[in-house]
Amino acid sequence: MRMIDLSQPLHEGMPVYPGTPAPVFSTVTTVENHGYRVKKIAMNTHVGTHMDAPAHMLADGKTLDALPLEQFVGRAAVLDVRNCAGGVIGLGELQAQKELLAQADFVLFWTGWSRYWGQEQYLRQYPILTAEAASYLGKCQLKGVGIDAISFDAIDSKAFEIHQQLLAQELVLIENLTRLEEVQRGANFFALPLPLSEADGSPVRAFASQTEVI
């Protein structure tokens, strides 16, 4: 069994969504002075590889702690949408993979944008879903949707239409994934949020497990 880490590391100076604060790490105690090491971390709930709860955008949406643990684990379908760079992921791309989607709990969009992590390009021209495609996903009996880009909406969006549509179906959304090109068909996907009370979102440790072919 091979485990593939799909998470971006959390550290000072890491990329963040424009207008949100970067995480701050500080030292509380050291081994040399106290006999044990402790760090303090100040960060928002949507930093790094993270999960959006319906409550992130919907006034009456569920928080992560209101969802069962089963919501965060399931079969993965990785869709290669790299040819949609600078454009949109349309209904046709999804309908062409309807048999794969029918077997999946999570659809993970491989845009290829994780290669720009830490660069200005990461915030530009990444593919986004059309409203029709988002509506279609909401009917696919999924647990969640993931992407290796910073958002499901354009960086200058004010209405966050795609977030609104997907979260209204009680899907969880995972953003800033990486290494999706290594996930094979039939892999299981895990995105485990912190056990925060009334969480609108949380950093996650996202990973996939798949059987090695010998």
Side-chain angles (χ1 to χ4, degrees):
M1 185 70 68
R2 182 186 178 208
M3 311 295 285
I4 305 167
D5 193 349
L6 307 177
S7 309
Q8 298 283 7
L10 298 172
H11 58 85
E12 287 193 346
M14 66 181 294
V16 295
Y17 192 85
T20 62
V24 177
F25 293 72
S26 58
T27 299
V28 177
T29 63
T30 65
V31 173
E32 293 77 12
N33 294 329
H34 305 89
Y36 55 93
R37 181 182 291 111
V38 175
K39 286 187 179 294
K40 178 182 178 181
I41 306 172
M43 61 185 181
N44 68 68
T45 49
H46 297 265
V47 67
T49 304
H50 68 274
M51 179 179 290
D52 295 350
H56 180 44
M57 295 279 181
L58 307 176
D60 59 349
K62 290 184 178 180
T63 54
L64 292 180
D65 51 312
L67 299 174
L69 281 175
E70 291 80 6
Q71 184 88 25
F72 312 132
V73 178
R75 299 179 302 278
V78 176
L79 299 191
D80 184 351
V81 294
R82 289 174 295 166
N83 290 335
C84 297
V88 296
I89 305 166
L91 181 61
E93 281 84 5
L94 301 185
Q95 291 178 328
Q97 300 290 337
K98 62 181 180 180
E99 292 184 4
L100 180 61
L101 298 186
Q103 303 172 28
D105 297 307
F106 291 88
V107 174
L108 309 179
F109 289 103
W110 175 24
T111 71
W113 239 245
S114 61
R115 70 183 183 276
Y116 297 124
W117 180 255
Q119 303 176 38
E120 186 64 27
Q121 180 63 36
Y122 191 69
L123 306 179
R124 300 175 180 170
Q125 297 182 309
Y126 51 85
I128 58 173
L129 292 159
T130 64
E132 292 78 12
S135 177
Y136 182 83
L137 285 175
K139 302 172 184 176
C140 289
Q141 305 299 313
L142 299 170
K143 296 180 179 181
V145 185
I147 195 167
D148 59 349
I150 198 156
S151 179
F152 280 93
D153 284 282
I155 203 70
D156 58 352
S157 175
K158 303 300 182 184
F160 301 105
E161 180 182 8
I162 304 307
H163 274 83
Q164 295 274 353
Q165 285 202 46
L166 296 174
L167 293 173
Q169 302 299 321
E170 292 199 354
L171 299 175
V172 293
L173 307 183
I174 307 96
E175 296 166 326
N176 293 323
L177 290 165
T178 189
R179 297 176 66 188
L180 290 180
E181 68 275 10
E182 299 181 38
V183 182
Q184 299 173 2
R185 188 166 183 167
N188 288 315
F189 176 70
F190 305 79
L192 307 179
L194 297 171
L196 303 172
S197 296
E198 300 181 352
D200 53 87
S202 171
V204 297
R205 190 61 178 266
F207 59 97
S209 68
Q210 59 193 28
T211 302
E212 288 275 35
V213 177
I214 300 176

